[in-house]
Amino acid sequence: MSDHALRLLREQPHLAELAAFPFNFDLARADHGEAVRLASGGPLEAVAGDDTGGTYFVCGDGSVLYADSEGSAGIIGNSVDEALEVLVGLPGWHDYLGLAPADGEEKIRSAVAETEEEIREYHGIDDERTELRAGLGLPERSPVELIGLLHAALLRTEPDFLLLNAEEGGAHALLDRHPRPPLWEAVLAQGRTDLTLLREGSAWDEVAGDRARRALALRAAQFDRREGDLPLLRHLLRHEADASMTDELRLAAVLVGLHGCAEDLPLLYEVRETDFDTWCGLGGMPEPGADPTELGRWARDLDDSLFGTDPADEPLFTWTGLAHEHGLVELARAALIRRLDDIDFRAYCDARDGKAMERRDASQLSSLVHEFEQLGDTFQALRAQRLYAPLQTRARDRVSALLRLARLEREEGRFDAAIRTLTSLRETLAEPDGGVGDSDSDSDKSLGHWQRTNLGAYIVEEHYALARTAATDTALTDEVRALTVAAGELLARLSGTARANVEQHLAETTDTHADTGADADADHGAGVSAEPTPPQPSAG
């Protein structure tokens, strides 16, 4: 990846002036105006801009990402040199985002000629193009070649170069509208290859012994069912049972059961008896000695309700989970962010129109939080949890959602927000209709006995964890002190067993942070303990 042309532009003002006008690659316009970052966390450097408010960024591998002022972005070259080839050779490149090599030479040349004639009505481009190409050492390529370079670059934008608003987390739209393969197609590719190997009689143990490969092979078999697959399905089923209850274990059992062979009933029963989870997850399965038609009926019912033969019908989370498991992390992240953006936008429209969020969208938010946390993307998990928490109507659900929200805010370093969230949590605990106190009303009692449960322990532990981490922010001294007092009050309300467990956890946490004594002393000087110590409960 070469940045030869960029160095020349920075060293030779005359060439930089030519690049800025008439080719609209202006080194003086490198300020995008808003903070952006790649979803992958990769490096991003703004190097130039244009007169429409667009910005050219160089990514870690040298690729050039263009972001316009309307919220769209796309890769336009594998390097600055290649991007400049496109910009200089196709000064009207914005008009060609819908073109592809498949459109043919005649259509491409006609579109380029029409645009360039319009440009020439206002200023020259031919002599300037010749001079700039020579000065930068750029080759002369035909419009057809340049459209091919631009098209190939644009298709590489996702998933590795998905651009986000750094503050709000929403993704930029794609700069072009070329169709992309669905997520499932990219995820299933390896599974289809492995299924072919299994059918050829090779790599049985290699595929079956690898959890990620086995899962994808089973998914491939789900959408490409053949009579001769029964032996390999049995083999995959036996190995998947080692992973306990998974969606793929249920799928393997269904695929075996659909063949309706009585001889498979002992195997299926053995798999069901692996542990308590498999016993529950494969409930209703006919036992050994049953009529094979019962096995077929059981398998068909599960297949109709949970699986099927069209990969497009599978939930998004099936494919993002498999993508993550198979190492396609950015592919999973991009798909999840796009889904969260869709829900966020619809929630905005619903709120504007005075409508409640659709149940389908609301039910997906908790799954999105979980999936983002699995990816280690706390930033996006926090976005989803912020949408999810206000939707909870039962007091216990609301407290659980606020607790998770506070933890995510703390992990993201948003201590002030986390302190406010825990204040809202305590207010919910204090509401009579939250099950606290002696209220005899028929209202929400879902928080009854929270002091005796793990939820109560988690609430107290989160208060202390936040007080400890937020103590590093001297601007929050008073808030941290109040938080520590509230934590002690909550601890005192826990039942004996729950309180003892929390105190043991806090003691272990204090030991873990013992090597930060110097920082703790400094915080004591500010009037705040870096390691808040819970009050000792009375004997009563």
Side-chain angles (χ1 to χ4, degrees), residues 23-104:
F23 301 106
N24 226 352
F25 185 86
D26 191 344
L27 300 181
R29 294 179 180 267
D31 182 5
H32 188 56
E34 67 175 8
V36 293
R37 66 178 181 86
L38 293 179
S40 66
L44 196 66
E45 178 192 4
V47 295
D50 62 24
D51 59 11
T52 68
T55 308
Y56 300 94
F57 297 90
V58 176
C59 305
D61 69 343
S63 297
V64 175
L65 180 74
Y66 175 79
D68 65 22
S69 59
E70 303 300 320
S72 298
I75 296 293
I76 62 168
N78 293 334
S79 65
V80 176
D81 289 12
E82 186 177 293
L84 283 166
E85 283 188 54
V86 171
L87 300 183
V88 175
L90 300 172
W93 68 274
H94 289 275
D95 296 335
Y96 314 140
L97 293 172
L99 287 177
D103 291 317

Side-chain angles (χ1 to χ4, degrees), residues 99-118:
L99 287 177
D103 291 317
E105 181 174 350
E106 182 178 353
K107 181 177 180 179
I108 291 173
R109 288 188 178 277
S110 175
V112 171
E114 180 179 353
T115 302
E116 292 196 353
E117 280 304 311
E118 293 176 359

Side-chain angles (χ1 to χ4, degrees), residues 345-358:
F345 178 72
R346 285 194 293 270
Y348 165 78
C349 293
D350 289 342
R352 179 196 59 195
D353 299 336
K355 298 190 299 183
M357 180 184 289
E358 292 184 22

